[in-house]
Structure formats: C-alpha cells, structure tokens
Amino acid sequence: MNKMNLKILLLSLLFVLPLAAQQKNVPQTLSAFGLIPVQKPVLLDSTDLQDKKFTDETLLSFPVSFPAPERFITQIEPDELGYFHLSKPEKGYAFQLVSFFVKNDRYGKGKLKITSPDMFEVYIDGESKTSKKKFEPSYRTAEPVETALNGNVNNSRVVLKILTYSGSQSESALKIEIEADKSDSLVQFTFGESDKRRMTINDVLEGRRVSSSSVSPSGRYVLLRFSETFAGGESKRSIELYDTKLKKTLLSDAADRSQLSWMPKSDLLYYVSDEGKSRTMFTFDPATLTTKTVAENLPKESFHIAPDEKSMFYSTKKSLNVTEPKGLKRLLAPDDRQAYYRDKYYICRYFFDSGLSQQITYGCHTASLNDVSEDVTQLLFSVSEENLTERPFRKNSLFLLNLQTMQLDTIWKDERFANSARFSPDGKKLLISGAPEAFNKIGQNIASQEIANSYDSQAFIFDLDTKKIEAVTRNFDPAIDQQDWSRNNGFIYFRVQDRDYENVYRYDPARKSFEKLPLKEDVIRSFSIADNGEWATYTGVSASNSSRAYILNLKSLQSTLIADPYAERLSKLSLGEVEDWSFKSSYGDPIDGRFYLPPYFDPSKKYPLIVYYYGGTSPTQRVFESTYPLHVYAAQGYVVYTLQPSGTTGYGQEFSSRHVNAWGKQTADEIIEGTKKFVAEHPFVEASKIGCIGASYGGFMTQYLQTQTDLFAAAVSHAGISNIASYWGEGYWGYSYSSVASADSYPWNNPKLYMEQSPLFHADKIKTPLLLLHGTADTNVPIGESIQMYTALRLLGKTVEFVQVDGENHGIYDYAKRIAWNNTIYAWFAKWLKDDSQWWDSMYPNPRK
C-alpha cells in the first residue's frame, strides 16, 4: 500500500469510527409481563375537585408496582423493521409492561427513542422519565418520544408502562432505539441481557450490612448489629438476637439501644435510656423476652459491669478551670488545640443494691480503667502523663488497687511504650499490649541500630508474683489488634494484621504455641468469645463480598453463617476477578500484592492501570468496601494493582521498621519497580496509561512518587503531606505520628530528612497531571499541605487541579459530598487514562468559556 492510499484509509477511519459509535442500537428481544386489565372508575361527576375530566391520560397515570425482572417471562422478538408487536385486550383497556436494560461503556450523553401508537410512560430505575399522552392511528406513522440518557448508565432497568385499548385503530406495536449524542464520539450505548450491573460508589455507601456480633456468656445467644444506608444518605441502625440452640432469630428491633451489651456472667443484655438529666439501666432476658429496670438516676456515663454483676464502674469528667481574657486562649501544650485536652477523668463505682456511687480515684490526672479481677477484689487502672521531651511524648503508669482495703500497688511507672493490661482468668498474671520497645525492648527482634515501628503492636504476659515479663509475640510476625484471654479454655485469642489479611490466632500459654483459626473471611472485623462456653462469634469481609456474621464452635473450629444481609445486592453486581501477584524487589524482598480485573475482562484488549497504595504503615487489606473501593475502579474498565511495600505492619518487625525515618525511601522504589514489573508481565495493560492514587500518607506517597518518576500518566493525592516539617508542627497528631515515622528526627537535628523527602521541595520535578483533594476541616493533615503544593505547581506552570471538600475532615463521610468526591477522582482518571474529558468538564466546566 502506497503512502497516498494509506493516508486515505486513515482519514476514512477518522470519519467512520465516530459515526459507528453514534449508530442506533435496537434490542434483539424484549421481556414482557403480560396484560394487566385496567378499568375506568365510576364517574359520579363529570369533573373532579380540580375541575378536570377523566381521560385516557388519567387512566395512564394509574400506579403500578413493577414486578421483579425475573417475572417478565414472555420473550418478544422484533419484525424486520424493528417493531415489537404486542397483544391488545379483547375489550376495554389494559396495561402492557415491557422491561429491558441499557448501559454505556463510559460517561456520556445519549437518548432512548420509543415509538408506539399507544400511550405509555417510561421509567428508568423506578423513576418516571417521560410519557406519551395520546393514541395514534398507525404504528408506522407514530411520532417517537425521546428520553435523555446522560452520565454513567449502569445497566439501568427500563420499564415501559403501555396503555393498550381494544378499540384503537392501530395494531399495538413498539420500536426502541438508543444512540449516543452526536457530539460524543467515544461513548457507546448497548442493551443489557440481564439485571447484572457494574459496581458503583453507591453500592459502597448504600445497603444493609452486619457491623458486629457478640456472644452471650454461655454461648447460646448472639447479638447482631446492623447498619443500613438508603439512597440519598439516610441511615439507620438495628439489632437482631440469634439463638444458636434453636437456630433462629428471636428478636429483630429497628433501634440499637444505647450501650447494649451482655452482662459478664448471665445471659442477659443490658442497656441504658435517658430521661432529663438522669439515665436508667435495664436488662433484657432472651429466654423470656422480658425487660427489667436495674438502676435509676444514674449519671450519663458509659458503664463497665463488674464480673459478679453486683456493681459497675464508670468514669466521670472534670475540666481544668483556666482563667484567660475573654476571646483569648493560651495554649498549655501542643495538644491543647483539641477540645478534650483540658478534661480529666476519674473512676467511680456504683453499687446496685444500695445505689451508692463512690469516687475511686482523685487528683489532677486522668485514670483509665483497664480491668477488674474475676473476684472483684482488684482493679487495674493506668495514668498517662505528657512527656514532650522524649518520644512518644507520653509516659504511662499502671496501678493495682485492692478494692477492699484501697491499698494501691504500682505495677510499672513511667513506661513509654506499654499501653494497657487485662487480668488472666485466675488473676495471677496480666496480658499487656504495647510496642516492641516496651519494657526495655524485650519484645524487639530487629537489629540494634534500627528503630521499631511503634504501630506494630505486641503482646506481653506479666507475672504478678515474680514480676517477670514474657514477650509473647516477639517472634510472631502479625501485628496485634485485639487480644482476649478465655476464662473457659485458657487460650489467648489474638485478632491480628496478618499480611493483607486480618486473621485470628489462639495462643496456648502452657505450650507457648500459636494456632491460626480456619475462619471463613479474609478480614475479621470483630471476634467475641463466650466466657462460659465453647463458642465464639465473628464478623468479617473478603475481597469480593461484604460483611457476614458467623458462630464458631471452638472445639471443632466449624463456622456457621448466621447473617449475610448484603447478599441480595451483591448478587446483582458483576465483579471482576481478584488475583494475587507478588514480585521480588531489587532489595531482595518478596513484595505482596493483588490486582482487580474489570468485569467481562478480555485478555486480548488493552486496559489502563490504576495503582493504589497506602505505605503509611497499615496493610491495604482485602476488603470489599473501603474509602477507595478498588472494585469500583475496576468496574469502570481499569485494571487495579495494589501492593504492600516496605514499612507495612503484619509482616514482622524488621519489615515494619522500614517505615521509620524513611518517608518514601525504598517504599517509592518498590511501588515504581512493582508497577513496571506488573505491566511487563501482563500484556493486557496499556503501559502509557497508568494512574496512581493514595490518601493521607498515601497522598504523600503520590506526591513524592511524581518527584521520582515519569511512569504515571495521572495522579491523585487526597489529604497528602507535601511538607513534612509543616505537617509535623501543624497537624493535630503531626508530631505524635512523627514520633513513629520520624523517630528522634526533628527539623533542627535532621533537616535533610524533612527537606529531601518533602515533595514540596522537589515540585519542579513533577511532570504528571496531579489532582489534589482535601477536606477544609482536616485536623489530621491540614489543608495547607495541599495548598502549598498547588501553589508551587501553578507557579511552575504544571498541570494541577485542587478540589476542596467543604466542612469535611480527614475522611469524606457526608453522603452527597462523598459521591461527588469519588466522581471527581473517576472523572480525572477518565480524562488522562481514557483521553475522555467529558465527565471532568461536566463537573468542572471552564468558567472562562
């Protein structure tokens, strides 16, 4: 082929392809429900109260509750001209319901054109869109009615409510066409064949989910908590009470009562209710479904019931009284910017028989209740004090109080890295949570020159008689999130970050051995054991399903599903596959990851890629819903890759310690290397169309990555840190978080770290189009972090956009704002990874045009 012919061919393709995208599509089949006879009412008067006569148009407006798609069992095929022929009633009027699905492959504009001689109404996803209000004599000359299809049409269900009449002149027929707007050459509209649809941000926000489960002391009953959010953002909470013996739900209640929890020994639930200035406590008996008042005129506090159920403990607040000029506030400490700083709490005890409330602690320091011994003779409480000259800027002391003699013993004093403690079942030992550096680093297993990651939580056992401390998890790689010492079988149950899973292990103190429990979900969100029975309950999620609840037999380790409220909604979603993929980095480490494929994945096609990471210290767990829902990105036609780079907890202390004093070092190299290797091994990825996104520390990583590479075609940073020094000094938790991320490094003793690792100081190296997102009320990472980077890139003439989310803090949780915020992200990626700016332009049109 010569150059002239090739040029003609290319020019012809430029004209033909857009026209092909705009060609009208027609359905191959329609699903019909059948005739629904409808009668005119008895006309007692010629007009109604609005002086309107009854007409066929009034008859058309009669409401119909549309049946589910599977009840539309009659399949109709079109004739050679594309008309579907419908039956008419033998006499009078009847509704004919027709159902089908429409979708597009991207954000765009189009129209649905309906032609029929009959009167009809068009409903899309249950919402009335348009109607035709007159009969015509012939279907061949009938005028079409158009309905706009704008935005993302996600296999929307269309129902036509057609009013047919036995006496009409024309045969009842219907023609359906769908086409893209003439100005939109990229979008393609098609007809769906089932009610399956792609996942959207609404599926993350809406629906009913089980949020937690807790088991009664005997193990017979399980309290299930649910949350449900409806379209529009309204939400509610509810409960169910499940009987494991009868295998049925005893009670469903639309309200979740305040402080609803199990009593320590009895299979009774307790809760509180407020009237005026006082609080009343009730118990509820699942066996009899009866309620009893157990205490009245209580303070409005949260209660901890003693193991013998004869008394309960609570904290009461007193605020520091400071004299200051009106309208002025003198800060007492960096944390005095926070509203609660001047509040101090004291432990009190309430006796059920006498109604006496007794204050147990007194002074200038907050006392925090840790635990009460099984025989209710000993109480553990801790006192925390500021220690601003030494990280982690607080020191803790633990005290043992004899509740009979009020004698106070000190367990430890001014320990910087121990957090809290619980009694063993026999009361002779303590189970302690702390950082690797606690107790003179006895739980640390990294090289002496390294600094441990304090977020890599460890467990310790303290013998009250010998004062010896055992570092239980020193050689156990997962990081501890929850720990419970069973009174029934003596095992310690740990819920842990285990790579990108959240698993449960049980530890045998006698054999000093761990056993992983074979639970049914990837990420265990709650785990509750019965004190007096061989039962537990847990809730969890996995990469491709929402939260579910189970009961677990602790002897057989068999799980039984008892709640899966999201299952019905999930059954309507078409999800792509999720596959593990790891690589060995140039540093010699295996770096775990996984990737999400788009629904209806075609390996012969090329897909843009989105890379997601956190890198702050926590793993990106295998959850279905999240603030950054990877399945939703995949549903829009992206391959999504996420990885667990150096610094992540759940992989052992050495791996997590790489987070300390790094601020992107090695982590960025691994993200870049992993992305390149992933693209090289997966030919279905378009190497020139790679986007990246992260938030908080991940937002910092987004900005930092762009100073290190030109690999990405688009980048998104939400609440990202641009200047480590300003974040350190300004964020509410900036200096305390930096006690881990920048341990013993400060702007005055390590300026190189604060400057060299801050993206702001390398803004001139950024070439990637960057979207900055930030809540205006962010107290964690102040919005100034994005303002600084935005200003720098604008002055440098770089491609940057900055979208502020009004009134939102570090996370975006307002329903409407969260949808718009997510759509902003999707539109940005569509603009740069799909060469389609229509969505972005529709949200943020150029004000100068």
Side-chain angles (χ1 to χ4, degrees), residues 323-378:
T323 302
E324 296 168 324
K326 186 176 181 181
L328 303 182
K329 180 178 180 179
R330 166 179 167 250
L331 289 186
L332 304 179
D335 283 350
D336 197 19
R337 293 181 295 159
Q338 303 177 54
Y340 59 80
Y341 177 79
R342 300 184 181 189
D343 298 333
K344 306 300 175 184
Y345 291 85
Y346 307 97
I347 300 173
C348 299
R349 187 180 187 184
Y350 175 89
F351 294 88
F352 286 112
D353 57 354
S354 65
L356 170 68
S357 284
Q358 176 181 329
Q359 186 171 327
I360 292 177
T361 63
Y362 184 86
C364 299
H365 294 93
T366 288
S368 300
L369 176 66
N370 281 221
D371 201 8
V372 182
S373 63
E374 186 71 10
D375 60 5
V376 202
T377 61
Q378 306 285 334

Side-chain angles (χ1 to χ4, degrees), residues 285-331:
D285 188 346
T288 62
L289 302 182
T290 56
T291 299
K292 179 182 177 182
T293 302
V294 293
E296 296 179 291
N297 300 316
L298 297 171
K300 291 186 176 180
E301 307 292 353
S302 297
F303 301 101
H304 176 94
I305 310 295
D308 61 1
E309 301 181 359
K310 295 180 180 179
S311 64
M312 59 184 178
F313 299 86
Y314 63 93
S315 294
T316 186
K317 180 181 74 174
K318 294 183 180 180
S319 297
L320 186 65
N321 190 9
V322 179
T323 302
E324 296 168 324
K326 186 176 181 181
L328 303 182
K329 180 178 180 179
R330 166 179 167 250
L331 289 186

Side-chain angles (χ1 to χ4, degrees), residues 185-211:
S185 62
L186 294 175
V187 67
Q188 293 190 25
F189 288 87
T190 56
F191 290 91
E193 297 179 356
S194 72
D195 60 350
K196 287 274 191 177
R197 56 182 176 79
R198 294 166 290 160
M199 187 177 178
T200 71
I201 185 59
N202 295 77
D203 296 306
V204 176
L205 302 182
E206 299 165 10
R208 188 169 188 251
R209 297 168 175 85
V210 55
S211 52

Side-chain angles (χ1 to χ4, degrees), residues 774-778 805-814 817-818:
H774 223 119
T776 61
D778 196 331
V805 189
D806 186 48
E808 292 295 288
N809 205 306
H810 199 51
I812 311 301
Y813 297 116
D814 176 85
K817 292 174 185 175
R818 190 170 175 183

Side-chain angles (χ1 to χ4, degrees), residues 757-781:
Q757 298 308 118
S758 291
L760 181 65
F761 292 91
H762 304 277
D764 58 323
K765 299 175 184 176
I766 296 178
K767 298 179 181 178
T768 306
L770 175 62
L771 171 63
L772 300 166
L773 299 161
H774 223 119
T776 61
D778 196 331
T779 54
N780 188 336
V781 178

Side-chain angles (χ1 to χ4, degrees), residues 632-656:
V632 177
Y633 298 144
Q636 294 182 29
Y638 300 100
V639 175
V640 184
Y641 168 50
T642 186
L643 68 162
Q644 318 297 334
S646 285
T648 307
T649 52
Y651 287 84
Q653 290 185 35
E654 191 282 324
F655 198 83
S656 67

Side-chain angles (χ1 to χ4, degrees), residues 713-740:
V716 178
S717 168
H718 172 72
I721 300 159
S722 66
N723 183 344
I724 303 170
S726 59
Y727 162 71
W728 168 85
E730 188 180 359
Y732 271 19
W733 301 276
Y735 80 98
S736 57
Y737 174 76
S738 296
S739 72
V740 180

